[in-house]
Amino acid sequence: MGRARLLFLIGLFGLFSVLGTCSPRQSTLAEVRALGVLRVATVNSPTAYYIGQDGDPTGFEYDLAKAFADQLGVKLELVVAANPPAAVEMVRAGVVHMAAASITETAGRKKLVRFSRPLLKVVPELVYRLGQPRPENLGDLHGVLRVVKDSTPVETLQSLQASRYPQLKWAETNEDVAEELLYQVSQGTLDYTIVNSDLLEINQRYYPNLRTAFTVSDALDVAWAFRAGKDTSLTNAAAKFFDALGNEELARIKDRYFGHVDQVDSQGALALATHVDTRLKRYRAAFEQAGDKNDLDWRLLAAIGYQESHWDADATSPTGVRGIMMLTNDTAAFLKVDDREDPAQSISGGARYFKQIADQLPVDIPEPDRTWMALAAYNMGVGHLIDARALTEKLGGNPNRWLDVRRTLPLLSQSRWYAQTRHGYARGHQAVIYVGNIRSYYDMLVWITRDKDATPKTALEAAEEQKQETEPDDDKPDDSSPLNINSPVL
């Protein structure tokens, strides 16, 4: 949607919000409950919200917003904004109740909206392309620097231009999102951009020639945005939600989306992309067939195979394990795999073995923690995973959470700890790296093989829908309805 049209609609909603003076305005929280809907502006981004491989919505801020709506007993309704600045503007104008859109908290934005408690910290970084000269500072740029219009980098650049770099120049775009600018830098069609560290770390796995030149400012908080003003009912409800959620659960949700993004370096990401073209195409059908037979995502199996052998059917380790899934002699015999170096047999055997391990785990371990623990057990054995879970519980952690078990696993290589376990010494550090690598490879394979998915309603569709809700059905508004213009929705 064009910016002019968006601003027109926002202005129109602002007019509706001041037309009514006949009846007292409900608090925002009361209106949300009366409507049965929490309208949330978000952005399509791996750091906030996206459609997952199973076709369902997912993402760090989506998970939190959905849990918040569930706690309030209302339906979550997403409105996809073009970028975080547009999401902030929707909140400011009252088009949505709040924004969960990778919004960084800045001095300028604090004048426009009210923020929740911080969800995480990010660092704005200047990005350039590998092979190009690395600039030392903003005064050392030799090319085009482009950032998203009205974004946090613009506010930072304006401040630095006034204080340290008077000759600094940059271009602003309202057409491209930050991820598109990263793609342009990776392709060499743009010299520089500025993005937050979390988004860069995720995208470096897909564009391994991206490099950080330097940080542009100190770390910033990412938080939810609410409408400013005297009414703090929804902001207070969000504060209670986070208090009830607890720091441990918030850390677990963070780990689900960000706990492995820096596990594979740029060279590893480049190697995977190359092997997808040169090796995976020979074995993809076998991975898909094994996935279907064992009710597993074939890309997870392919990620395991890549971690094990880099999809090399002739791979052999110093300990004698062989083939794409690197099965031992004993495991192959148990699975009735006659030829470990036959790709189809190896992949089928590895899939069945992983499925059997996952089925042995307690049923109360939720996903995706269950999958990560099954991967650890695939690497080090179920017995050692059982030891790690027991030790986790003994140390006050939650044995059903991968984040807690992951912290415990390295202890299995220390005598004072493994002496307390049934199965003894294990290379726990190796299992942690193993799982982190597979998680990253899986994410990259999902991205490489992705299909275009449907998205929720656009900002224009949401705005037009709300316009209809705020318009009375006849010339005489019904004051009892929470949707009439004398009792604005927002």
Side-chain angles (χ1 to χ4, degrees), residues 45-271:
S45 168
T47 61
Y49 153 82
Y50 56 95
I51 298 294
Q53 68 272 9
D54 57 0
D56 294 328
T58 189
F60 173 59
E61 294 201 53
Y62 169 81
D63 281 4
L64 291 173
K66 180 65 168 60
F68 181 38
D70 289 345
Q71 187 191 70
L72 295 177
V74 299
K75 177 184 175 182
L76 174 65
E77 183 178 288
L78 296 179
V79 180
V80 179
N83 47 46
V88 170
E89 184 63 17
M90 289 180 185
V91 174
R92 188 200 64 78
V95 176
V96 293
H97 299 113
M98 55 171 277
S102 294
I103 298 170
T104 46
E105 192 173 337
T106 66
R109 285 178 176 168
K110 287 180 181 179
K111 299 176 182 178
L112 302 176
V113 292
R114 179 182 290 109
F115 286 98
S116 70
R117 60 162 286 181
L119 307 181
L120 50 84
K121 284 187 178 293
V122 296
V123 181
E125 298 176 323
L126 186 126
V127 183
Y128 72 107
R129 188 173 185 265
L130 178 66
Q132 299 302 310
R134 177 180 180 176
E136 297 295 326
N137 53 55
L138 288 171
D140 191 31
L141 303 185
H142 300 283
V144 177
L145 165 62
R146 184 177 297 122
V147 295
V148 175
K149 186 177 177 62
D150 298 326
S151 63
T152 297
V154 171
E155 188 175 335
T156 302
L157 290 170
Q158 289 172 342
S159 175
L160 291 171
Q161 183 186 56
S163 61
R164 296 177 59 187
Y165 304 104
Q167 303 303 315
L168 178 62
K169 295 183 180 179
W170 65 89
E172 299 179 19
T173 176
N174 205 35
E175 301 297 325
D176 300 320
V177 297
E179 279 190 287
E180 174 62 24
L181 296 179
L182 286 174
Y183 174 75
Q184 292 172 15
V185 173
S186 76
Q187 296 299 301
T189 58
L190 176 64
D191 299 297
Y192 315 105
T193 191
I194 297 174
V195 299
N196 291 333
S197 52
D198 57 341
L199 185 65
L200 176 61
E201 287 179 354
I202 291 172
N203 279 276
Q204 276 183 310
R205 298 179 299 170
Y206 313 127
Y207 311 126
N209 58 357
L210 296 177
R211 290 293 183 274
T212 298
F214 51 85
T215 60
V216 179
S217 73
D218 295 335
L220 299 171
D221 291 328
V222 173
W224 286 349
F226 298 86
R227 197 173 187 184
K230 295 181 179 180
D231 180 7
T232 62
S233 58
L234 193 58
T235 312
N236 294 341
K240 293 179 180 178
F241 161 73
F242 283 116
D243 286 343
L245 185 70
N247 291 331
E248 288 188 4
E249 181 63 12
L250 180 60
R252 189 188 72 83
I253 297 173
K254 287 180 185 177
D255 176 75
R256 177 179 181 182
Y257 295 100
F258 307 120
H260 61 290
V261 296
D262 59 351
Q263 192 75 36
V264 177
D265 63 17
S266 59
Q267 292 303 312
L270 183 60

Side-chain angles (χ1 to χ4, degrees), residues 306-320:
Y306 189 76
Q307 171 64 25
E308 293 287 354
S309 68
H310 281 206
W311 300 320
D312 180 359
D314 298 322
T316 302
S317 82
T319 59

